[in-house]
Amino acid sequence: MKNSVRRRRTEQGWSQHELAERIDVTRLTIISIEKERFDPSLPVAFRLAAAFDCSIEELFEPDQS
């Protein structure tokens, strides 16, 4: 699943560690989401969207395959 987590995080000036703390996950989770190797659970997706003040649909885009 494609996402704009890295772009939005850098626009906010947050480190991966800071974002991880804000949404209560590990830095490794943030890295995996940003590299699109891991699709977050729905609760984590909601927390990410809330942190960036956007909807889940604005943050994540399904693969077109």
Side-chain angles (χ1 to χ4, degrees):
M1 182 175 301
K2 303 236 183 264
N3 69 71
S4 59
V5 172
R6 176 176 288 152
R7 177 182 59 80
R8 290 173 186 268
R9 177 182 58 76
T10 57
E11 286 174 355
Q12 293 292 324
W14 298 338
S15 67
Q16 290 171 330
H17 179 76
E18 185 174 357
L19 177 57
E21 285 187 338
R22 285 175 179 266
I23 67 163
D24 196 29
V25 297
T26 66
R27 182 173 164 264
L28 183 58
T29 299
I30 299 300
I31 291 168
S32 297
I33 292 169
E34 287 185 351
K35 291 185 176 186
E36 299 174 354
R37 294 183 181 159
F38 172 74
D39 293 334
S41 66
L42 196 52
V44 170
F46 272 110
R47 292 196 306 265
L48 278 167
F52 294 123
D53 193 29
C54 68
S55 69
I56 290 175
E57 293 84 1
E58 291 173 307
L59 196 55
F60 295 95
E61 180 181 320
D63 290 331
Q64 298 300 323
S65 50

